[in-house]
């Protein structure tokens, strides 16, 4: 399993993938808002989305697991 984690604290603005979807390395999977900036969070490797662990509007801390790939 590969985990995609938050690179900084912020609020989940958009979720761009759903369970079962295939993603490629470098593909944005969600967007965080932090300090009035939008930060895209990208997949580091290709895989299939096993679970999305956050919802739009959730506040996350640096290092929190956002998406799990299989």
């Amino acid at each position: 399993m590969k985990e995609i984690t938050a690179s900084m604290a912020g609020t989940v603005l958009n979720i761009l993938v759903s369970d079962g979807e295939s993603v490629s390395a470098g593909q944005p999977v969600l967007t965080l808002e932090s300090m009035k900036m939008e930060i895209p969070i990208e997949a580091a490797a290709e895989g299939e989305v096993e679970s999305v662990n956050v919802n739009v509007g959730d506040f996350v801390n640096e290092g929190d697991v956002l998406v799990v790939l299989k």
Side-chain angles (χ1 to χ4, degrees):
M1 269 193 257
K2 303 167 200 136
E3 296 178 337
I4 301 172
T5 58
S7 56
M8 61 178 47
T11 303
V12 178
L13 192 60
N14 294 311
I15 299 173
L16 307 172
V17 296
S18 57
D19 291 356
E21 186 175 335
S22 293
V23 296
S24 54
Q27 177 180 339
V29 295
L30 58 84
T31 306
L32 291 181
E33 181 178 19
S34 181
M35 300 182 292
K36 298 184 181 180
M37 297 180 358
E38 293 183 16
I39 296 96
I41 304 298
E42 300 174 345
E46 67 178 45
E48 182 180 322
V49 176
E50 183 172 304
S51 65
V52 177
N53 298 342
V54 294
N55 296 301
V56 171
D58 287 354
F59 181 82
V60 297
N61 291 302
E62 183 177 351
D64 285 355
V65 177
L66 306 173
V67 178
V68 177
L69 302 177
K70 28 177 165 171

